[in-house]
Amino acid sequence: MNFTEETFEIRTHRRNEMIDITSHVADALSQSKVASGTVTVFCPHTTAAITINENADPDVPHDILLTLEQLVPQHRLGYRHNEGNSDAHVKSSLVGASETILIREGRLVLGTWQGIFFCEFDGPRSRKVHVQIMGT
Ligand code: ZN
């Protein structure tokens, strides 16, 4: 059983943004030499998230962000958290802090149109992403 862990930094540029990190994760996997197992991608922040979705058409991440912004407004009567970023905390929990991806023949098992995204909800900031690889 092989086990590797890597943390990389990512710089976000807008308050709400989805950044394709598939190549970062694929690079970590190729360095690990693991052929069969799982990769966990984890976001250690309370106002950001990790998701898997379409990375072929940039209108898809745009529309996901638009929908989240309409579902969870930045300013809302009743919010108590005094940092003013309650919407970002809610979006982080809705989308989730991590994704697990299978490894087969040394490659990420992703659908043709799937990519791994870091989701920023309170940028711009400097962020971290943890990648843990387990397998043989
Ligand atoms: Zn906050």
Side-chain angles (χ1 to χ4, degrees):
M1 179 68 79
N2 243 304
F3 176 91
T4 65
E5 208 173 282
E6 182 182 312
T7 299
F8 61 86
E9 299 227 0
I10 190 166
R11 180 81 216 168
T12 64
H13 302 96
R14 293 194 297 276
R15 185 159 195 275
N16 290 282
E17 185 176 13
M18 288 173 68
I19 296 175
D20 187 344
I21 58 168
T22 311
S23 62
H24 290 269
V25 180
D27 286 349
L29 174 57
S30 60
Q31 282 162 28
S32 77
K33 313 280 188 223
V34 168
S36 180
T38 55
V39 181
T40 302
V41 182
F42 183 82
C43 165
H45 304 285
T46 60
T47 55
I50 303 291
T51 196
I52 292 174
N53 214 298
E54 176 166 336
N55 66 355
D57 179 359
D59 286 344
V60 172
H62 170 275
D63 292 352
I64 291 171
L65 291 175
L66 179 73
T67 301
L68 285 171
E69 284 168 50
Q70 287 174 345
L71 284 172
V72 188
Q74 186 176 359
H75 304 289
R76 181 178 188 177
L77 202 64
Y79 281 159
R80 291 186 181 177
H81 180 54
N82 65 13
E83 282 185 330
N85 61 356
S86 290
D87 63 316
H89 289 287
V90 173
K91 290 176 202 164
S92 170
S93 275
L94 285 175
V95 176
S98 69
E99 289 285 358
T100 302
I101 303 109
L102 304 185
I103 304 163
R104 194 182 298 144
E105 294 171 359
R107 304 182 64 164
L108 297 168
V109 179
L110 289 168
T112 307
W113 310 109
Q114 285 183 320
I116 307 161
F117 287 90
F118 181 88
C119 304
E120 174 63 81
F121 299 125
D122 195 24
R125 290 182 190 229
S126 197
R127 300 292 205 174
K128 286 182 167 55
V129 178
H130 301 311
V131 178
Q132 191 183 80
I133 300 166
M134 286 173 66
T136 53

